[in-house]
Structure formats: C-alpha cells, structure tokens
C-alpha cells in the first residue's frame, strides 16, 4: 500500500523512451494515461539531467486525447488558459483549477455514496440475509470451509455465535436458498 502513496517513477532515456521503474519495462503515453485513470500518481524524470518532465508529458497526453476527438476542454476554456499565461495575475488560475477539480472529485464521491444508499435492493426485506448467504456460499465454493481457515468451525471446534448458528447448514441448503432468492429477484424485474 505504501507503493500506492508514492508516485510511480517513470524515467525518460536519451532515446525518449519511457521506462517504468516498478515493472522494469518500457511504457507508452497511453500506458501512463491508464495508470493515472487507475488512480496512480506518476512522476516522469529525465534520466540524465534529473529534470522533472511530468507536467510536459501530462500536457502531451491531454493534447493527444484532444486531437483524437476525445475533447474534454471546451475551446473557451483553452482560450482562457492561454490568456492566463499572458496575464500577470496568472497565479490565481492554477489554484482555481485545482480547487474546482477537488470539488468535482468530492461531488462524484458523494454522488456514488448516495446512489449506493438509494439502491432499491438494499431496502428489500431480507437483503442483508441474502448478502450473508451469498458470502457464505462464496466462502464455501472458494475453500473457506477448510480446517484452520477463517470459515465455519469443524465439528468439535468452537467458533463465535454467528459461526455456530450458520455452521450447521450444509452446502446443499445454502445452494437451495440462493436459488430461491435468485428466482425471487428475477421475478422482481
């Protein structure tokens, strides 16, 4: 997890090839864009001089996406950005853009939380029981019942009260219950 906190280091060689220091292979701008879309911070440095080239390459990625017709930035915004480079008060623009994107990210996160809360399945009677049964079924199918695992206790072993209550059910009963719940769900559609 510590790797996710520090930026992925990409080194640019004199040949202009980009080298991923974590996986020890060469990457393209599309690969770097994929890392960023996946939530990873990236730092690109020149191998010889040590100069940070991240901004230059990120702008290049944006320019390539814009040229392919994947327009995100309206022409008016691009014009305003160019103007901001020419005006003495340009220092306000980066702070404004950063604050705007932070608000956008926070808003998206809050919207996803609200959508999850509005999930009609979550309000269905027995939904929590169904989730618990599905988890138990998946645990059984993936070997969660093996002795010494964190699954159900073996005969003669003790577990906490929820494990003891569900530990007596066999796999066929869980399959039957899951099948019944799936039938009920398909009838709701």
């Amino acid at each position: 997890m510590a790797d996710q906190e520090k930026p992925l280091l990409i080194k640019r060689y004199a040949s202009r090839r980009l080298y991923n220091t974590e996986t020890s292979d060469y990457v393209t701008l599309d690969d770097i864009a994929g890392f960023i879309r996946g939530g990873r911070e990236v730092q690109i440095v020149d191998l010889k001089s040590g100069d940070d080239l991240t901004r230059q390459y990120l702008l290049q990625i944006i320019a390539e996406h814009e040229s392919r017709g994947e327009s995100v930035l309206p022409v008016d915004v691009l014009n305003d950005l160019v103007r901001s480079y020419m005006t003495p008060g340009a220092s306000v623009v980066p702070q404004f853009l950063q604050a705007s994107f932070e608000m956008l990210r926070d808003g998206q996160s809050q919207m996803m939380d609200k959508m999850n809360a509005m999930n009609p399945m979550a309000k269905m009677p027995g939904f929590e029981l169904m989730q618990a049964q599905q988890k138990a079924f998946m645990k059984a199918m993936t070997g969660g019942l093996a002795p010494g695992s964190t699954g159900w206790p073996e005969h003669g072993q003790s577990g906490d009260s929820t494990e003891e209550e569900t530990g007596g059910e066999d796999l066929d009963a869980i399959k039957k219950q899951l099948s019944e719940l799936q039938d009920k769900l398909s009838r709701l559609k």
Side-chain angles (χ1 to χ4, degrees):
M1 191 172 294
D3 288 341
Q4 294 297 329
E5 294 173 6
K6 66 180 180 178
L8 170 61
L9 181 61
I10 306 288
K11 293 182 180 179
R12 184 185 75 174
Y13 284 92
S15 64
R16 299 204 178 269
R17 290 188 73 186
L18 301 170
Y19 184 77
N20 181 339
T21 59
E22 284 184 6
T23 59
S24 300
D25 61 349
Y26 291 101
V27 293
T28 64
L29 288 179
D30 284 337
D31 295 330
I32 293 171
F35 298 145
I36 294 168
R37 275 192 300 277
R40 190 75 193 268
E41 295 294 321
V42 175
Q43 182 181 16
I44 305 169
V45 294
D46 185 82
L47 180 67
K48 193 176 246 181
S49 68
D51 292 341
D52 189 342
L53 305 172
T54 308
R55 183 182 315 261
Q56 170 188 335
Y57 277 95
L58 294 179
L59 287 170
Q60 188 175 344
I61 290 169
I62 291 169
E64 284 189 12
H65 282 276
E66 290 285 326
S67 70
R68 286 188 224 152
E70 302 171 21
S71 299
V72 171
L73 300 170
V75 174
D76 291 342
V77 172
L78 293 171
N79 282 325
D80 289 340
L81 282 171
V82 171
R83 278 188 205 101
S84 74
Y85 280 98
M86 308 304 165
T87 357
S91 64
V92 174
V93 174
Q95 294 166 350
F96 172 76
L97 287 173
Q98 184 174 359
S100 297
F101 275 101
E102 285 173 5
M103 285 175 36
L104 177 65
R105 271 192 303 264
D106 292 345
Q108 286 176 332
S109 175
Q110 290 174 1
M111 182 162 48
M112 289 305 294
D113 290 345
K114 287 180 182 178
M115 288 182 71
N116 287 337
M118 291 173 28
N119 181 356
M121 295 291 294
K123 294 178 183 171
M124 221 175 87
F127 182 70
E128 289 175 5
L129 176 63
M130 181 181 72
Q131 280 184 319
Q133 289 174 335
Q134 285 177 338
K135 284 179 186 175
F137 177 73
M138 290 306 295
K139 187 182 275 187
M141 296 307 292
T142 58
L145 295 176
S149 73
T150 57
W152 296 323
E154 291 292 308
H155 295 292
Q157 291 180 344
S158 63
D160 65 24
S161 61
T162 57
E163 287 180 339
E164 289 178 293
E165 291 168 10
T166 58
E169 296 181 8
D170 62 23
L171 187 57
D172 292 331
I174 293 173
K175 286 180 183 179
K176 182 181 176 192
Q177 290 175 349
L178 183 59
S179 175
E180 289 171 359
L181 286 171
Q182 287 174 336
D183 288 342
K184 287 179 185 178
L185 287 174
S186 64
R187 282 186 252 137
L188 288 174
K189 291 181 183 178

